Each structure stands twice: as structure tokens, then as C-alpha cells.
CSV table of all heavy atoms in Angstrom, one decimal:
chain,number,residue,atom,x,y,z
A,1,ASN,N,-2.7,1.0,9.9
A,1,ASN,CA,-2.2,1.1,11.2
A,1,ASN,C,-0.8,0.8,11.4
A,1,ASN,O,-0.1,1.1,12.6
A,1,ASN,CB,-3.1,0.3,12.2
A,1,ASN,CG,-4.4,0.9,12.4
A,1,ASN,OD1,-4.6,2.1,12.2
A,1,ASN,ND2,-5.5,0.0,12.7
A,2,GLN,N,-0.1,0.2,10.4
A,2,GLN,CA,1.4,0.0,10.5
A,2,GLN,C,2.2,1.2,10.2
A,2,GLN,O,3.4,1.2,10.5
A,2,GLN,CB,1.7,-1.2,9.5
A,2,GLN,CG,1.1,-2.5,9.6
A,2,GLN,CD,1.0,-3.1,11.1
A,2,GLN,OE1,2.1,-3.0,11.7
A,2,GLN,NE2,-0.1,-3.4,11.6
A,3,VAL,N,1.6,2.2,9.7
A,3,VAL,CA,2.3,3.4,9.2
A,3,VAL,C,2.8,4.2,10.4
A,3,VAL,O,2.0,4.8,11.1
A,3,VAL,CB,1.6,4.2,8.1
A,3,VAL,CG1,2.4,5.4,7.6
A,3,VAL,CG2,1.2,3.4,6.9
A,4,ASP,N,4.1,4.4,10.6
A,4,ASP,CA,4.7,5.2,11.7
A,4,ASP,C,4.8,6.7,11.2
A,4,ASP,O,4.8,7.7,11.9
A,4,ASP,CB,6.0,4.8,12.1
A,4,ASP,CG,5.9,3.4,12.8
A,4,ASP,OD1,4.9,3.1,13.3
A,4,ASP,OD2,6.8,2.6,12.6
A,5,ARG,N,5.0,6.8,9.8
A,5,ARG,CA,5.2,8.2,9.3
A,5,ARG,C,3.8,8.8,9.1
A,5,ARG,O,2.8,8.2,9.2
A,5,ARG,CB,6.0,8.1,8.1
A,5,ARG,CG,7.3,7.5,8.2
A,5,ARG,CD,8.1,7.2,6.9
A,5,ARG,NE,9.4,6.7,7.3
A,5,ARG,CZ,10.5,7.0,6.8
A,5,ARG,NH1,10.5,8.0,5.9
A,5,ARG,NH2,11.6,6.4,7.1
A,6,GLU,N,3.9,10.1,8.7
A,6,GLU,CA,2.6,10.8,8.5
A,6,GLU,C,1.8,10.2,7.3
A,6,GLU,O,0.5,10.2,7.4
A,6,GLU,CB,2.9,12.3,8.3
A,6,GLU,CG,1.7,13.1,8.5
A,6,GLU,CD,2.0,14.6,8.4
A,6,GLU,OE1,3.2,15.1,8.9
A,6,GLU,OE2,1.1,15.4,8.0
A,7,ASN,N,2.4,10.0,6.2
A,7,ASN,CA,1.8,9.6,4.9
A,7,ASN,C,2.0,8.2,4.6
A,7,ASN,O,3.0,7.6,4.7
A,7,ASN,CB,2.2,10.5,3.8
A,7,ASN,CG,1.7,11.9,4.0
A,7,ASN,OD1,1.0,12.2,4.8
A,7,ASN,ND2,2.1,12.8,3.0
A,8,ALA,N,0.8,7.6,4.0
A,8,ALA,CA,0.9,6.3,3.4
A,8,ALA,C,0.8,6.5,2.0
A,8,ALA,O,0.1,7.4,1.4
A,8,ALA,CB,-0.2,5.5,3.9
A,9,VAL,N,1.7,5.7,1.1
A,9,VAL,CA,1.7,5.8,-0.3
A,9,VAL,C,1.1,4.5,-0.8
A,9,VAL,O,1.6,3.4,-0.6
A,9,VAL,CB,3.1,6.1,-0.9
A,9,VAL,CG1,3.1,5.9,-2.4
A,9,VAL,CG2,3.6,7.4,-0.5
A,10,PHE,N,0.0,4.5,-1.6
A,10,PHE,CA,-0.6,3.4,-2.2
A,10,PHE,C,-0.2,3.4,-3.7
A,10,PHE,O,-0.3,4.4,-4.3
A,10,PHE,CB,-2.1,3.4,-2.1
A,10,PHE,CG,-2.7,3.1,-0.7
A,10,PHE,CD1,-2.8,4.1,0.1
A,10,PHE,CD2,-2.9,1.8,-0.4
A,10,PHE,CE1,-3.1,3.8,1.5
A,10,PHE,CE2,-3.4,1.5,1.0
A,10,PHE,CZ,-3.5,2.6,1.9
A,11,MET,N,0.1,2.2,-4.3
A,11,MET,CA,0.4,2.1,-5.8
A,11,MET,C,-0.5,1.1,-6.3
A,11,MET,O,-0.6,-0.1,-5.8
A,11,MET,CB,1.8,1.7,-5.9
A,11,MET,CG,2.9,2.5,-5.4
A,11,MET,SD,3.0,4.1,-6.0
A,11,MET,CE,3.6,3.8,-7.6
A,12,PHE,N,-1.4,1.6,-7.2
A,12,PHE,CA,-2.4,0.7,-7.8
A,12,PHE,C,-2.1,0.5,-9.3
A,12,PHE,O,-1.3,1.2,-9.9
A,12,PHE,CB,-3.8,1.5,-7.8
A,12,PHE,CG,-4.3,1.9,-6.6
A,12,PHE,CD1,-4.1,3.2,-6.0
A,12,PHE,CD2,-5.1,1.1,-5.7
A,12,PHE,CE1,-4.6,3.5,-4.8
A,12,PHE,CE2,-5.4,1.4,-4.4
A,12,PHE,CZ,-5.2,2.7,-3.9
A,13,ASN,N,-2.7,-0.6,-9.7
A,13,ASN,CA,-2.6,-0.9,-11.2
A,13,ASN,C,-4.0,-0.9,-11.9
A,13,ASN,O,-4.4,0.0,-12.5
A,13,ASN,CB,-1.9,-2.3,-11.4
A,13,ASN,CG,-1.6,-2.5,-13.0
A,13,ASN,OD1,-1.5,-1.6,-13.7
A,13,ASN,ND2,-1.7,-3.7,-13.4
A,14,SER,N,-4.8,-1.9,-11.4
A,14,SER,CA,-6.2,-1.9,-11.8
A,14,SER,C,-7.0,-2.4,-10.7
A,14,SER,O,-6.5,-2.8,-9.7
A,14,SER,CB,-6.4,-2.8,-13.1
A,14,SER,OG,-6.3,-4.1,-12.7
A,15,SER,N,-8.4,-2.5,-10.9
A,15,SER,CA,-9.2,-2.9,-9.8
A,15,SER,C,-9.1,-4.4,-9.5
A,15,SER,O,-9.7,-4.8,-8.5
A,15,SER,CB,-10.7,-2.5,-10.2
A,15,SER,OG,-11.0,-3.2,-11.3
A,16,GLY,N,-8.5,-5.1,-10.4
A,16,GLY,CA,-8.3,-6.6,-10.1
A,16,GLY,C,-7.0,-7.0,-9.7
A,16,GLY,O,-6.7,-8.1,-9.4
A,17,ASP,N,-6.0,-6.0,-9.6
A,17,ASP,CA,-4.6,-6.4,-9.3
A,17,ASP,C,-4.3,-6.1,-7.9
A,17,ASP,O,-4.9,-5.1,-7.3
A,17,ASP,CB,-3.7,-5.6,-10.2
A,17,ASP,CG,-3.8,-6.1,-11.6
A,17,ASP,OD1,-3.9,-7.4,-11.8
A,17,ASP,OD2,-3.8,-5.3,-12.6
A,18,PRO,N,-3.3,-6.8,-7.3
A,18,PRO,CA,-2.8,-6.4,-5.9
A,18,PRO,C,-2.4,-5.0,-5.8
A,18,PRO,O,-1.8,-4.5,-6.7
A,18,PRO,CB,-1.7,-7.5,-5.6
A,18,PRO,CG,-1.6,-8.4,-6.8
A,18,PRO,CD,-2.5,-7.8,-7.9
A,19,THR,N,-2.5,-4.4,-4.7
A,19,THR,CA,-2.2,-3.1,-4.4
A,19,THR,C,-1.0,-3.0,-3.5
A,19,THR,O,-0.9,-3.8,-2.5
A,19,THR,CB,-3.3,-2.3,-3.7
A,19,THR,OG1,-4.3,-2.2,-4.8
A,19,THR,CG2,-2.9,-0.8,-3.4
A,20,LEU,N,-0.1,-2.1,-3.7
A,20,LEU,CA,1.2,-2.1,-2.8
A,20,LEU,C,1.0,-0.9,-2.0
A,20,LEU,O,0.5,0.2,-2.4
A,20,LEU,CB,2.3,-1.9,-3.7
A,20,LEU,CG,3.8,-2.0,-3.1
A,20,LEU,CD1,4.4,-3.2,-3.6
A,20,LEU,CD2,4.5,-0.7,-3.3
A,21,MET,N,1.5,-0.9,-0.7
A,21,MET,CA,1.4,0.2,0.2
A,21,MET,C,2.8,0.3,0.9
A,21,MET,O,3.3,-0.7,1.3
A,21,MET,CB,0.3,0.1,1.2
A,21,MET,CG,0.0,1.4,1.9
A,21,MET,SD,1.1,1.8,3.3
A,21,MET,CE,0.4,0.8,4.7
A,22,ARG,N,3.3,1.6,1.1
A,22,ARG,CA,4.5,1.7,1.9
A,22,ARG,C,4.4,3.1,2.6
A,22,ARG,O,3.5,3.8,2.4
A,22,ARG,CB,5.7,1.7,1.0
A,22,ARG,CG,5.8,2.8,-0.1
A,22,ARG,CD,7.2,2.9,-0.8
A,22,ARG,NE,7.2,4.0,-1.7
A,22,ARG,CZ,7.0,4.1,-2.9
A,22,ARG,NH1,6.7,3.0,-3.6
A,22,ARG,NH2,7.1,5.3,-3.6
A,23,GLU,N,5.4,3.3,3.6
A,23,GLU,CA,5.3,4.4,4.4
A,23,GLU,C,6.1,5.6,3.7
A,23,GLU,O,7.3,5.5,3.7
A,23,GLU,CB,5.9,4.2,5.7
A,23,GLU,CG,5.2,2.9,6.4
A,23,GLU,CD,5.8,2.6,7.7
A,23,GLU,OE1,6.2,3.5,8.5
A,23,GLU,OE2,5.8,1.4,8.0
A,24,GLY,N,5.5,6.5,3.1
A,24,GLY,CA,6.2,7.6,2.5
A,24,GLY,C,7.1,7.2,1.5
A,24,GLY,O,6.9,6.3,0.6
A,25,SER,N,8.4,7.6,1.5
A,25,SER,CA,9.4,7.2,0.6
A,25,SER,C,10.2,5.9,1.1
A,25,SER,O,11.2,5.5,0.5
A,25,SER,CB,10.4,8.4,0.3
A,25,SER,OG,11.0,8.7,1.5
A,26,ASP,N,9.9,5.4,2.4
A,26,ASP,CA,10.6,4.4,3.0
A,26,ASP,C,10.2,3.0,2.3
A,26,ASP,O,9.1,2.6,2.4
A,26,ASP,CB,10.3,4.3,4.4
A,26,ASP,CG,11.0,3.2,5.2
A,26,ASP,OD1,11.8,2.6,4.7
A,26,ASP,OD2,10.6,3.1,6.4
A,27,GLU,N,11.2,2.3,1.8
A,27,GLU,CA,10.9,1.1,1.1
A,27,GLU,C,11.3,-0.1,1.9
A,27,GLU,O,11.3,-1.2,1.4
A,27,GLU,CB,11.6,1.1,-0.3
A,27,GLU,CG,11.2,2.2,-1.2
A,27,GLU,CD,11.2,1.9,-2.7
A,27,GLU,OE1,11.7,0.8,-3.0
A,27,GLU,OE2,10.9,2.8,-3.5
A,28,SER,N,11.7,0.2,3.2
A,28,SER,CA,12.1,-1.0,4.1
A,28,SER,C,10.8,-1.7,4.6
A,28,SER,O,11.0,-2.8,5.2
A,28,SER,CB,13.0,-0.6,5.2
A,28,SER,OG,12.3,0.3,6.1
A,29,ALA,N,9.7,-1.0,4.5
A,29,ALA,CA,8.5,-1.7,4.9
A,29,ALA,C,7.5,-1.7,3.8
A,29,ALA,O,7.1,-0.5,3.3
A,29,ALA,CB,7.9,-1.1,6.2
A,30,VAL,N,7.1,-2.8,3.1
A,30,VAL,CA,6.2,-2.9,2.0
A,30,VAL,C,5.0,-3.9,2.3
A,30,VAL,O,5.3,-5.0,2.9
A,30,VAL,CB,6.9,-3.4,0.7
A,30,VAL,CG1,6.0,-3.6,-0.4
A,30,VAL,CG2,8.0,-2.3,0.3
A,31,TYR,N,3.8,-3.4,2.0
A,31,TYR,CA,2.7,-4.1,2.3
A,31,TYR,C,1.9,-4.4,1.0
A,31,TYR,O,1.8,-3.5,0.1
A,31,TYR,CB,1.7,-3.4,3.2
A,31,TYR,CG,2.5,-3.1,4.6
A,31,TYR,CD1,3.0,-1.8,4.7
A,31,TYR,CD2,2.6,-4.0,5.6
A,31,TYR,CE1,3.7,-1.4,5.8
A,31,TYR,CE2,3.2,-3.7,6.8
A,31,TYR,CZ,3.9,-2.4,6.8
A,31,TYR,OH,4.6,-2.0,8.0
A,32,VAL,N,1.3,-5.6,0.9
A,32,VAL,CA,0.5,-5.9,-0.4
A,32,VAL,C,-0.9,-6.3,0.1
A,32,VAL,O,-1.0,-7.1,1.1
A,32,VAL,CB,1.1,-7.0,-1.2
A,32,VAL,CG1,0.3,-7.3,-2.4
A,32,VAL,CG2,2.5,-6.6,-1.7
A,33,VAL,N,-2.0,-5.8,-0.6
A,33,VAL,CA,-3.3,-6.3,-0.2
A,33,VAL,C,-4.0,-6.6,-1.5
A,33,VAL,O,-4.0,-5.9,-2.5
A,33,VAL,CB,-4.0,-5.2,0.7
A,33,VAL,CG1,-4.1,-3.9,0.0
A,33,VAL,CG2,-5.4,-5.8,1.2
A,34,MET,N,-4.8,-7.7,-1.4
A,34,MET,CA,-5.5,-8.1,-2.6
A,34,MET,C,-6.9,-7.4,-2.6
A,34,MET,O,-7.5,-7.3,-1.6
A,34,MET,CB,-5.8,-9.6,-2.6
A,34,MET,CG,-4.6,-10.5,-2.6
A,34,MET,SD,-3.5,-10.3,-4.1
A,34,MET,CE,-4.6,-11.1,-5.3
A,35,PRO,N,-7.4,-7.0,-3.8
A,35,PRO,CA,-8.6,-6.3,-3.8
A,35,PRO,C,-9.8,-7.3,-3.8
A,35,PRO,O,-9.6,-8.5,-3.9
A,35,PRO,CB,-8.7,-5.6,-5.2
A,35,PRO,CG,-7.7,-6.4,-6.1
A,35,PRO,CD,-6.7,-7.1,-5.1
A,36,MET,N,-11.0,-6.9,-3.7
A,36,MET,CA,-12.2,-7.7,-3.7
A,36,MET,C,-13.3,-7.0,-4.4
A,36,MET,O,-13.2,-5.8,-4.6
A,36,MET,CB,-12.6,-8.1,-2.3
A,36,MET,CG,-13.1,-7.0,-1.5
A,36,MET,SD,-13.4,-7.5,0.3
A,36,MET,CE,-15.0,-8.5,0.1
A,37,ARG,N,-14.2,-7.8,-5.0
A,37,ARG,CA,-15.3,-7.3,-5.8
A,37,ARG,C,-16.2,-6.5,-4.9
A,37,ARG,O,-16.7,-7.1,-3.9
A,37,ARG,CB,-16.0,-8.4,-6.6
A,37,ARG,CG,-15.4,-8.5,-7.9
A,37,ARG,CD,-16.4,-9.2,-8.8
A,37,ARG,NE,-15.7,-9.9,-9.9
A,37,ARG,CZ,-15.3,-11.2,-9.7
A,37,ARG,NH1,-15.5,-11.8,-8.6
A,37,ARG,NH2,-14.7,-11.8,-10.7
A,38,VAL,N,-16.7,-5.3,-5.3
A,38,VAL,CA,-17.8,-4.5,-4.5
A,38,VAL,C,-18.9,-4.1,-5.4
A,38,VAL,O,-18.6,-4.0,-6.6
A,38,VAL,CB,-17.1,-3.4,-3.7
A,38,VAL,CG1,-16.3,-3.9,-2.6
A,38,VAL,CG2,-16.4,-2.4,-4.7
């Protein structure tokens, strides 16, 4: 819901590592979220 642009870009490593999210190519806003076991 923080994304003002049309697209969100998620960068993953593995299922146990933190995931990075940013708005398109804009690097002035960066978000990190920790995964959980499902």
C-alpha cells in the first residue's frame, strides 16, 4: 500500500532470507520484510 507508482519490484534471495521491495526503479523508498514459515 506504500507504492505510489504502478509497479512494485520485489527482490528475493531464498525462502528464509529477508525480501526487499521498492517502487519500480525508484530507490529513494526501500522496504524490507522478513519471511515466515508456512
Side-chain angles (χ1 to χ4, degrees):
N1 286 333
Q2 302 308 317
V3 180
D4 296 328
R5 300 175 180 226
E6 198 174 326
N7 288 354
V9 172
F10 288 86
M11 301 297 290
F12 302 96
N13 187 31
S14 75
S15 59
D17 291 315
T19 294
L20 187 117
M21 195 279 277
R22 60 172 193 262
E23 306 178 34
S25 57
D26 181 9
E27 300 207 1
S28 69
V30 169
Y31 308 91
V32 178
V33 60
M34 299 298 288
M36 64 188 289
R37 266 199 207 91
V38 285

